[in-house]
Amino acid sequence: MTVKLFDGLIEGEWPAHVSTSQRSAWMTCRLRTALSTAAHVRPREMGPGGKGMVVGNLVHSVLGQHYRAVPATRTQAKLHAWLDTTAHLNSVDAVLVGQAKARAHVMLDRFWNRYGNDGLVPQVEVAINRVLPSGIHYIGYADAVYEQDGLVVVEDWKTSLSNIEPTKHTVFNPQGRDYLWALTDRYPADRLVMSWLLMTPSSVRRIQTPIGNIVDVSAELDAIAREERTLEIVPNYDAKCMWCPYRALCETKLTGGDVKDTFERFYEVVKGGREEPEEVDET
């Protein structure tokens, strides 16, 4: 289904899938979801909160390399070497990348001191794909899946909000519920648990959910996917606007400015690859 935004200036197509980040974005702001998911609009430069997003990308890349390596070959020095040679952020401002890497080095030191020798051999970046009742697919990527003490642990790596309990914060609850339900087609439900590796420069810890709290969220996800295709695409102006990468477009529209000029100067359409990383709030 085609979606037209800003009086037809920007167009896109809703994909034949829905994801947890897409659902969370939709509940926050329909316009942001449409710009990101349907129109594939990206800012040419990082905006507010950009450093946190870069830190997250860096740490995820390094942890993926760490856990793909044979446990006996893992070292603290390799963590830092992988971080220093990460090259997939060449398009990002060099000063911002430098600041992000400095922060990530501290986080990786804390990770190594607590979990560097955990001996885990997980599957890394596990693709999730379940068909919903309407035929739309639910997709996602679990950072790691591993077996421990008879359980199948589905783990997500977080590089912000580490002092928030997952059971008390909406950032964690939908993702945990969605992932556990989606993976019941591969693993017994009574063995699945969700784990979060929560990391900031000041703390690193793992938290697991209790066993037996898996619920069928297919109808809920289906409803969001149908809403995207039927409800009017309108912005939701609130405090989160300050972190939104599309803030300039809305401000230009509200002030009667030239939205086309703003779009051409500050944004581009980038199709393909993973979905937009989840929102990072460093407060």
Side-chain angles (χ1 to χ4, degrees), residues 5-260:
L5 309 169
F6 294 100
D7 301 320
L9 172 65
I10 302 170
E11 294 188 3
E13 294 285 337
W14 285 114
H17 67 254
V18 66
S19 67
T20 296
S21 59
Q22 189 175 327
R23 184 251 294 266
S24 298
W26 178 258
M27 299 302 291
T28 301
C29 180
R30 298 176 195 171
L31 179 59
R32 173 174 178 162
T33 313
L35 284 166
S36 173
T37 305
H40 303 282
V41 174
R42 300 289 184 269
R44 296 183 186 276
E45 297 181 1
M46 287 284 182
K51 184 172 70 174
M53 191 174 293
V54 175
V55 170
N57 289 339
L58 290 168
V59 171
H60 276 71
S61 175
V62 172
L63 288 182
Q65 294 179 79
H66 172 78
Y67 278 119
R68 288 185 180 96
V70 176
T73 67
R74 298 170 184 168
T75 66
Q76 187 173 12
K78 284 184 178 179
L79 285 177
H80 293 293
W82 285 325
L83 177 58
D84 286 333
T85 56
T86 298
H88 68 285
L89 293 167
N90 288 339
S91 62
V92 180
D93 177 78
V95 174
L96 188 149
V97 171
Q99 294 171 345
K101 284 191 173 183
R103 183 181 178 96
H105 276 298
V106 176
M107 295 166 74
L108 291 170
D109 276 333
R110 290 193 175 274
F111 164 78
W112 177 263
N113 292 337
R114 188 159 187 178
Y115 298 117
N117 293 311
D118 56 21
L120 296 177
V121 186
Q123 300 176 64
V124 177
E125 200 171 272
V126 177
I128 298 171
N129 192 324
R130 287 288 299 269
V131 181
L132 301 173
S134 66
I136 294 172
H137 287 243
Y138 168 75
I139 66 168
Y141 290 88
D143 289 326
V145 177
Y146 55 89
E147 294 199 25
Q148 187 177 57
D149 300 327
L151 300 174
V152 177
V153 182
V154 183
E155 186 162 276
D156 191 74
W157 303 330
K158 297 291 186 191
T159 53
S160 64
L161 301 170
S162 75
N163 294 317
I164 303 296
E165 296 292 341
T167 55
K168 298 178 181 178
H169 199 282
T170 56
V171 167
F172 300 101
N173 285 337
Q175 185 177 24
R177 288 189 291 115
D178 295 352
Y179 280 17
L180 292 180
W181 163 78
L183 287 169
T184 55
D185 66 342
R186 302 185 207 176
Y187 306 103
D190 60 359
R191 293 181 60 207
L192 280 166
V193 295
M194 189 74 195
S195 170
W196 285 272
L197 175 59
L198 309 176
M199 306 175 62
T200 70
S202 60
S203 68
V204 173
R205 59 189 179 132
R206 277 191 168 105
I207 297 178
Q208 281 189 4
T209 61
I211 301 172
N213 62 345
I214 299 177
V215 295
D216 186 341
V217 295
S218 58
E220 183 179 344
L221 291 166
D222 227 11
I224 293 294
R226 290 196 303 271
E227 283 185 4
E228 288 179 339
R229 290 154 179 79
T230 57
L231 294 184
E232 182 183 3
I233 305 300
V234 294
N236 176 33
Y237 300 116
D238 64 12
K240 287 192 174 182
C241 289
M242 68 179 295
W243 299 101
C244 180
Y246 309 111
R247 177 179 174 180
L249 289 170
C250 289
E251 289 182 342
T252 302
K253 177 73 173 179
L254 286 171
T255 58
D258 187 339
V259 177
K260 181 179 180 181

